[in-house]
Amino acid sequence: MLAALRRRWEAYKYRFVPWVALNLRHKRRTVRFVPEESKDKTISNEDVLQTLLETFKALFVNDLTRQMPLLSLLPEVQSKYLEVPIATNCCGCFRLGNQQSQTTFHAEDVLFNTLGFSIARRLSSLVSAGTGVFVTRGFVPERTVVAMYPGTVYENYEPIFFQSIGNPFIFRCIDGVLIDGNDKGISKAVYRSCSKRDQLGPLKMNDVSWLVAAAQNPLAVGQYVNNCSADKAANVCYQEFDIPECFPIEFRQYLPNISYSHEIQRPLRIVVLVALRDIGLGEELFSNYYTIIS
């Protein structure tokens, strides 16, 4: 029992305990250093937005047949997809959105066809690290959005005590906002509850599928990216991004984040992981956990 409690403590202490500040000199490779508050931009907000729009459009078009009931309620949106190519076959020929038949690809295939790589959860190469995230096809160019950190978004004054107990999946943003990326227990129940609260009829305002093995947004595995070590240098970094009001309503179903409070008026906070260098096929992703602002 004592050994189990010690393992829990070792996994948990880095998140909320001032112990981190007292041991930074011994953990320099694990520090997410930010020069000034709100300045963690490895790439521009425009680049992040462009990647999300490109990926979500490909996922939406790939699943266009199932999306038809939704589009019938939004004629102004439906008009954008009347003649859009929805898939390619092995010869590179397109099928159009107004045709009856459609070839549907798996989400990881869509990601590969769109961004040139795909990622998936696998057993980590680190001893006793559990699950990790690997590049399973293609390669990730430097300064590319490679994953998203899913979960419920809490303001720094909102209650998260019970969700945080024994929970190593809570990410702290620069301004104190917390994202709970745990896909089990209380965290899972809270996310599902908030998701149903925000749904507008058939219009889903976020993605719930990351809570299960087969996520419809293949980028939503960022909470399983392990921390770097002396032997495994970080090859991705975290970058915070606020979803703009103009974000297309039909793409919100792929956002793996939701605000805990329905009354929050500011844009939805998300966190993406950006490649620090080219990442090749078969490599595991490693990040820097701790946020330090100078």
Side-chain angles (χ1 to χ4, degrees), residues 6-110:
R6 181 178 177 83
R7 285 195 299 271
R8 286 273 184 161
W9 167 248
E10 290 296 331
Y12 180 68
K13 64 183 180 182
Y14 301 104
R15 298 292 176 169
F16 297 102
V17 181
W19 183 93
V20 177
L22 300 176
N23 289 269
L24 292 180
R25 292 184 180 180
H26 305 295
K27 299 284 185 179
R28 296 306 299 178
R29 295 178 68 89
T30 64
V31 173
R32 177 191 177 212
F33 179 77
V34 181
E36 291 182 48
E37 189 169 355
S38 300
K39 292 188 178 180
D40 67 333
K41 308 302 181 185
T42 303
I43 60 177
S44 68
N45 286 338
E46 290 74 19
D47 289 339
V48 174
L49 180 60
Q50 181 61 36
T51 298
L52 297 183
L53 291 177
E54 184 179 358
T55 304
F56 293 173
K57 181 177 181 179
L59 291 169
F60 185 84
V61 168
N62 180 65
D63 197 26
L64 200 57
T65 298
R66 192 178 64 84
Q67 301 289 349
M68 283 304 179
L70 165 63
L71 291 177
S72 65
L73 300 175
L74 301 170
E76 68 282 2
V77 176
Q78 185 179 33
S79 62
K80 298 190 297 184
Y81 298 97
L82 290 178
E83 295 295 331
V84 69
I86 61 176
T88 58
N89 59 22
C90 58
C91 300
C93 299
F94 287 101
R95 297 178 184 271
L96 297 181
N98 58 0
Q99 294 183 349
Q100 295 298 318
S101 60
Q102 179 183 359
T103 301
T104 303
F105 295 96
H106 292 296
E108 289 186 12
D109 295 328
V110 175

Side-chain angles (χ1 to χ4, degrees), residues 40-242:
D40 67 333
K41 308 302 181 185
T42 303
I43 60 177
S44 68
N45 286 338
E46 290 74 19
D47 289 339
V48 174
L49 180 60
Q50 181 61 36
T51 298
L52 297 183
L53 291 177
E54 184 179 358
T55 304
F56 293 173
K57 181 177 181 179
L59 291 169
F60 185 84
V61 168
N62 180 65
D63 197 26
L64 200 57
T65 298
R66 192 178 64 84
Q67 301 289 349
M68 283 304 179
L70 165 63
L71 291 177
S72 65
L73 300 175
L74 301 170
E76 68 282 2
V77 176
Q78 185 179 33
S79 62
K80 298 190 297 184
Y81 298 97
L82 290 178
E83 295 295 331
V84 69
I86 61 176
T88 58
N89 59 22
C90 58
C91 300
C93 299
F94 287 101
R95 297 178 184 271
L96 297 181
N98 58 0
Q99 294 183 349
Q100 295 298 318
S101 60
Q102 179 183 359
T103 301
T104 303
F105 295 96
H106 292 296
E108 289 186 12
D109 295 328
V110 175
L111 184 62
F112 175 73
N113 293 334
T114 305
L115 300 181
F117 66 88
S118 59
I119 56 175
R121 290 181 285 178
R122 299 284 189 274
L123 183 64
S124 176
S125 60
L126 296 178
V127 178
S128 301
T131 302
V133 179
F134 291 79
V135 178
T136 55
R137 295 175 66 185
F139 84 101
V140 182
E142 181 182 357
R143 297 171 62 83
T144 297
V145 173
V146 64
M148 302 178 68
Y149 200 102
T152 307
V153 181
Y154 293 84
E155 298 297 315
N156 54 13
Y157 54 82
E158 291 179 322
I160 194 175
F161 175 76
F162 290 107
Q163 297 92 311
S164 70
I165 297 175
N167 184 357
F169 294 108
I170 296 179
F171 180 91
R172 186 184 189 279
C173 295
I174 296 172
D175 57 1
V177 169
L178 302 174
I179 301 180
D180 182 4
N182 195 353
D183 56 7
K184 297 178 178 62
I186 298 177
S187 301
K188 179 178 182 178
V190 168
Y191 188 93
R192 283 191 179 277
S193 176
C194 293
S195 173
K196 293 178 180 179
R197 175 203 66 197
D198 283 9
Q199 184 168 329
L200 302 176
L203 300 178
K204 295 182 179 180
M205 294 293 102
N206 53 80
D207 178 22
V208 181
S209 66
W210 66 272
L211 295 172
V212 298
Q216 66 173 358
N217 176 3
L219 292 175
V221 293
Q223 80 277 36
Y224 283 103
V225 173
N226 281 307
N227 195 31
C228 60
S229 65
D231 299 324
K232 304 284 187 178
N235 51 21
V236 298
C237 64
Y238 297 107
Q239 180 167 323
E240 299 166 23
F241 178 72
D242 289 337

